[in-house]
């Protein structure tokens, strides 16, 4: 960018370019740090109106991508900001409480809630499955993620009113921890899509897990780990389905956690060593004291015309 | 500038190039300050005269050309590109030869370059910049948990000022930038990236040789930085993962620690 021919150094950026840069920084903020990034971006842009439009576009994208969890007023629990629950730009469904939360994306707060309408909720038949999976999953999430929140949405076929048709559920698990005083933030996000296939009498399971961590005391080190997996189970009663599906999710997530641990365990002796060894191949520190000798020798060699 | 530096500490090191170029566009009047405070990913270029690769950075750049430490020539050719004095050039040639041996012993590959120039401030001292770029992408050969993609870049800038009593003052600023990715089917992709910078100063006897003094400081610093990345920085991200999802029983951690301990013993 800086090397382009028309010399950006001599030319003011257009408003549109500035806005794009502001949006890029906001959208690429690490988990839990968008407010800090926003403060910096605002100072750099030095144009509150321009910043405002950039923030209005970037924050919703960030909040949805990071599955930000917001507390709903009246102690009715948390709502997860995700594309699955999105009714419009600032309204998100919480299927568990059958409420629609209005959120302020930039402030990252939930301002009010209203009961969801019938059109926004799924049919009684689908709701039986959704509710069963949600309840079972809730137990797992509470036991596994100290800061975790979860939600189960119907993403397709919410009007299916009995056996004989397909529908999809989406499971979202979001756990994040911010600890700015310790210069450390991180999040675990998983999205599981459950396809209930009536003709095959099966449920196809697809999972995407992303784990990120940022440590930035006198430095900047980030972990970004992702995985995808698939599985399936047979279509049974809602309660049996819920138990089977939760156990599949639990199994894959535990397995993934173990593979993360394994990756960390192997860092020092394999991965990291491939980049730079702890000690030289000679297993002793480099003989710098001989370098003086080395250069003297070279001078001598030159004087006597030996070597090259 | 403060806001710009804070952003660089937050944006993923894997995106630092894009971030820096955005900041340069946003703050054209601070470009030299930005370029001196934010280290950019190093590039490699081929010195065709010596058939050897060299590292490009701000310190061997003049206009749009870069000077190779091997032939001393600028690529693409530059009529009146700045050059170190003949004496300093002699030290530079030596430093390049020795540093290449050092690099090979620690990195088993990679490209290194050393550049020196007279210090503008008082004309008494000089500055030396030691660079290493190691691409570890092919090292893993697809084995599990081994490197799939990775790079290590080290930038050491030493300012040398003569002092009394046959001593010199050495001020070293080191930056390490790295990125490591492991990838395999059941466990997905695992990427750790980071950059850290530290500074240290010593007064050392010139009689031991500038190269010896600078080399020892660099070796010690690289060791320390590697260690803190390994133990502290990666350790903190791992701790975070375990905070998000605590291992089910205590004995899981214990097993991991014991294993880690045994691994360390083996080294």
């Amino acid at each position: 960018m800086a090397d382009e021919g028309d010399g950006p150094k001599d030319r003011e950026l257009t408003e549109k370019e500035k806005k794009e840069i502001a949006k890029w920084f906001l959208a690429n903020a690490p988990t839990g740090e968008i407010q800090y990034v926003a403060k910096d971006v605002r100072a750099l842009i030095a144009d509150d109106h321009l910043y405002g439009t950039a923030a209005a576009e970037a924050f919703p994208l960030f909040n949805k991508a990071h599955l930000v969890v917001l507390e709903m007023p009246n102690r009715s629990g948390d709502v997860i900001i995700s594309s699955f629950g999105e009714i419009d730009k600032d309204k998100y469904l919480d299927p568990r409480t059958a409420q629609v939360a209005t959120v302020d994306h930039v402030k990252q707060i939930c301002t009010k809630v209203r009961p969801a309408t019938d059109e926004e909720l799924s049919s009684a038949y689908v709701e039986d499955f959704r509710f069963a999976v949600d309840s079972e999953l809730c137990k797992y999430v509470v036991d596994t993620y100290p800061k975790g929140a979860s939600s189960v949405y119907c993403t397709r076929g919410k009007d299916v009113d009995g056996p004989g048709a397909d529908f999809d559920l989406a499971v979202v698990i979001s756990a994040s921890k911010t600890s700015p005083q310790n210069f450390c933030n991180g999040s675990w996000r998983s999205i599981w899509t459950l396809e209930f296939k009536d003709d095959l009498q099966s449920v196809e399971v697809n999972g995407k897990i992303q784990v990120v961590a940022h440590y930035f005391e006198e430095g900047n080190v980030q972990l970004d780990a992702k995985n995808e997996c698939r599985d399936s189970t047979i279509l049974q009663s809602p309660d049996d389905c819920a138990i089977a599906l939760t156990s599949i999710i639990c199994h894959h997530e535990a397995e993934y956690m173990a593979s993360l641990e394994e990756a960390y365990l192997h860092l020092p002796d394999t991965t990291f060593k491939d980049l730079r060894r702890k000690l030289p191949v000679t297993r002793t520190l480099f003989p710098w004291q001989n370098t003086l000798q080395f250069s003297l020798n070279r001078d001598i060699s030159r004087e006597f015309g030996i070597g090259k | 500038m403060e806001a710009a530096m804070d952003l660089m500490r937050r944006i993923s090191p894997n995106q630092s190039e894009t971030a820096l170029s955005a900041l340069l566009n946003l703050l054209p009047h601070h470009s030299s300050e930005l370029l001196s405070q934010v280290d950019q990913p190093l590039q490699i270029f081929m010195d065709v005269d010596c058939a050897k690769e060299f590292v490009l950075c701000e310190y061997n750049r003049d206009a749009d050309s870069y000077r190779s430490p091997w032939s001393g020539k600028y690529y693409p050719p530059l009529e009146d590109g700045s050059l170190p004095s003949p004496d300093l050039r002699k030290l530079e040639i030596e430093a390049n030869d020795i540093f290449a041996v050092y690099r090979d012993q620690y990195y088993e590959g990679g490209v290194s370059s050393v550049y020196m120039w007279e210090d503008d401030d008082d004309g008494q001292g000089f500055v030396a910049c030691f660079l290493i770029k190691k691409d570890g992408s092919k090292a893993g050969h697809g084995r599990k948990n081994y490197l799939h993609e990775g790079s290590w870049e080290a930038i050491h800038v030493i300012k040398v000022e003569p002092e009394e009593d046959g001593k010199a003052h050495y001020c070293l600023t080191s930056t390490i930038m790295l990125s490591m990715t492991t990838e395999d089917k059941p466990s997905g992709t695992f990427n750790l990236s980071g950059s850290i910078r530290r500074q240290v100063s010593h007064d050392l006897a010139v009689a031991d040789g500038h190269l010896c003094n600078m080399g020892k400081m660099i070796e010690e610093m690289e060791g320390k930085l590697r260690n803190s990345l390994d133990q502290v920085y990666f350790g903190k991200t791992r701790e975070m993962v375990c905070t998000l999802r605590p291992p089910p029983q205590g004995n899981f951690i214990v097993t991991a620690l014991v294993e880690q301990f045994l691994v360390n013993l083996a080294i």
Side-chain angles (χ1 to χ4, degrees), chain A residues 226-247:
Chain A
K226 288 188 191 93
N227 196 22
E228 289 188 21
C229 39
R230 44 176 57 229
D231 209 327
S232 69
T233 181
I234 47 166
L235 185 57
Q236 313 161 70
S237 74
D239 286 345
D240 291 336
C241 263
I243 291 169
L245 289 166
T246 304
S247 113

Side-chain angles (χ1 to χ4, degrees), chain A residues 293-307:
Chain A
Q293 200 57 42
F294 179 80
S295 40
L296 284 178
N297 284 345
R298 266 177 36 140
D299 285 346
I300 294 165
S301 325
R302 256 193 221 130
E303 263 174 50
F304 292 92
I306 41 182

Side-chain angles (χ1 to χ4, degrees), chain B residues 31-93:
Chain B
S31 62
S32 57
E33 211 177 340
L34 274 169
L35 288 171
S36 72
Q37 290 197 36
V38 178
D39 291 296
Q40 299 161 275
L42 300 172
Q43 306 292 326
I44 299 286
F45 199 76
M46 180 59 99
D47 176 341
V48 284
D49 295 66
C50 295
K52 265 177 142 175
E53 287 178 315
F54 66 101
V55 186
L56 312 186
C57 70
E58 275 300 294
Y59 307 111
N60 64 330
R61 183 179 68 87
D62 196 337
D64 290 328
S65 298
Y66 292 88
R67 187 169 61 90
S68 158
W70 312 115
S71 63
K73 287 183 187 167
Y74 273 92
Y75 294 89
L78 192 66
E79 285 273 317
D80 48 0
S82 64
L83 297 168
S85 70
D87 275 354
L88 200 55
R89 172 64 185 151
K90 208 179 127 195
L91 188 65
E92 187 185 79
I93 293 172

